[in-house]
Amino acid sequence: GGYVANSLAIMTDALHMLTDLSGIILTLLALWLSAKSPTKRFTFGFHRLEVLSAIISVLLVYILMAFLLYEAVQRTIHMDYEINGDIMLITAAVGVAVNLIMGFLLNQSGHLHSHSHSHSHVPQSSSPNAAQSSSHGHSSLAVRAAFVHALGDLVQSIGVLIAAYIIRFKPEYKIADPICTYVFSILVVLTTVRILCDTGVIILEGVPRHLNVDRIKEDLMKIEDVYSIEDLNVWSLTAGKTTAIVHLQLVPGSSSKWEEVQSKARQLLLNTFGMYKCSVQLQSYKQEISKTCANCESSSA
């Protein structure tokens, strides 16, 4: 519709919808990849393909956005363009209607979901279905987040509709079309910059934003018979799948309790901190020799 009407505002609105579509495709891709078994070459599986897909989709959106911004600047400078106000108005009205329907469906889904679980008075800690209740809570939050996002899309579509109305009945104010492109391009950047940051952290094997390494170390040190933490590495295979490798040193004389310590450490990492996979390495206490003293001895010899 934007191409036929020669409206950059509608094309930029469609570009924002493309970012939403990319998010849905990435979610489906993640679900599909999670069912794939690791191979001899890819022992971690194919979870990082989701990250690669996210980067490619965002780069594609930026290329299209750069083209639209260039056209908007040219139109602002030269003002030598015509817009079909009728087609723009119809397309914008359809966009608003679709966003209204989507927001209504998401709102109804959120209400039905919360109502179906509102009569449970059993605390999660004592309920055998605590994990299931937690997943229902996360699903409800996801629906609410999608509803809020749909409201944002609705506001943008209403903005396009207002611009279309102005251009249809006041063609001399056609500058409203490139102005919408400038505003919506900022919204596209704000939508995608979080994706780029998260994928960058995953590629650089950084610690996910919801985890605190110092907190993990403190809790590991509280385990009985743990003397020190020699090494701790935490990173993400992909969004929501965190992996950890920890190397613990046992207190002197407690090497016989290594199975109990390892079990507690794994339970802490998997259950408390929600790790997807973890590896716990243990060793008996060994007194370290100071490097400075060793250097002094070698120099004196």
Side-chain angles (χ1 to χ4, degrees), residues 104-145:
F104 175 78
L105 292 175
L106 287 170
N107 189 39
Q108 290 297 110
S109 175
H111 279 311
L112 288 173
H113 191 94
S114 60
H115 179 73
S116 64
H117 301 286
S118 62
H119 301 292
S120 175
H121 300 284
V122 183
Q124 287 192 1
S125 58
S126 61
S127 171
N129 297 322
Q132 184 178 0
S133 301
S134 178
S135 66
H136 287 321
H138 287 304
S139 299
S140 180
L141 287 174
V143 172
R144 283 161 54 191

Side-chain angles (χ1 to χ4, degrees), residues 60-124:
L60 175 62
V61 167
Y62 282 174
I63 291 172
L64 294 173
M65 187 180 67
F67 171 76
L68 292 174
L69 280 174
Y70 174 78
E71 288 295 322
V73 171
Q74 293 300 314
R75 289 188 177 189
T76 304
I77 295 174
H78 301 293
M79 297 293 290
D80 55 350
Y81 60 94
E82 294 296 330
I83 298 176
N84 190 322
D86 291 327
I87 296 179
M88 183 181 180
L89 190 60
I90 293 171
T91 306
V94 171
V96 171
V98 169
N99 277 298
L100 280 172
I101 294 171
M102 188 164 58
F104 175 78
L105 292 175
L106 287 170
N107 189 39
Q108 290 297 110
S109 175
H111 279 311
L112 288 173
H113 191 94
S114 60
H115 179 73
S116 64
H117 301 286
S118 62
H119 301 292
S120 175
H121 300 284
V122 183
Q124 287 192 1

Side-chain angles (χ1 to χ4, degrees), residues 105-276:
L105 292 175
L106 287 170
N107 189 39
Q108 290 297 110
S109 175
H111 279 311
L112 288 173
H113 191 94
S114 60
H115 179 73
S116 64
H117 301 286
S118 62
H119 301 292
S120 175
H121 300 284
V122 183
Q124 287 192 1
S125 58
S126 61
S127 171
N129 297 322
Q132 184 178 0
S133 301
S134 178
S135 66
H136 287 321
H138 287 304
S139 299
S140 180
L141 287 174
V143 172
R144 283 161 54 191
F147 173 70
V148 173
H149 191 90
L151 286 181
D153 294 341
L154 176 61
V155 171
Q156 179 171 321
S157 296
I158 292 174
V160 175
L161 183 61
I162 293 173
Y165 185 85
I166 293 173
I167 293 171
R168 170 63 180 82
F169 296 102
K170 297 285 185 179
E172 62 270 22
Y173 294 130
K174 60 184 180 180
I175 190 68
D177 187 70
I179 288 175
C180 284
T181 301
Y182 298 140
V183 175
F184 297 156
S185 295
I186 296 174
L187 294 177
V188 170
V189 171
L190 293 177
T191 303
T192 55
V193 70
R194 177 69 177 270
I195 299 174
L196 285 179
C197 291
D198 290 342
T199 53
V201 170
I202 292 173
I203 291 175
L204 295 174
E205 297 187 338
V207 179
R209 65 175 72 244
H210 68 280
L211 291 176
N212 186 322
V213 173
D214 293 332
R215 172 69 187 279
I216 297 175
K217 287 182 177 180
E218 289 176 4
D219 288 356
L220 286 171
M221 287 297 297
K222 292 177 182 177
I223 298 176
E224 190 177 357
D225 298 317
V226 172
Y227 177 78
S228 67
I229 299 173
E230 297 296 302
D231 197 17
L232 174 62
N233 298 107
V234 180
W235 74 99
S236 292
L237 294 177
T238 186
K241 294 189 181 296
T242 309
T243 306
I245 294 178
V246 61
H247 185 184
L248 303 176
Q249 191 174 75
L250 302 177
V251 298
S254 62
S255 57
S256 60
K257 300 180 181 179
W258 68 270
E259 288 189 38
E260 183 181 350
V261 174
Q262 186 182 60
S263 177
K264 289 181 179 179
R266 285 181 56 83
Q267 185 177 3
L268 179 71
L269 293 173
L270 294 175
N271 298 337
T272 304
F273 292 102
M275 301 291 176
Y276 173 67

Side-chain angles (χ1 to χ4, degrees), residues 267-286:
Q267 185 177 3
L268 179 71
L269 293 173
L270 294 175
N271 298 337
T272 304
F273 292 102
M275 301 291 176
Y276 173 67
K277 286 185 177 181
C278 70
S279 176
V280 180
Q281 302 173 358
L282 301 173
Q283 74 173 49
S284 301
Y285 171 79
K286 293 181 180 178

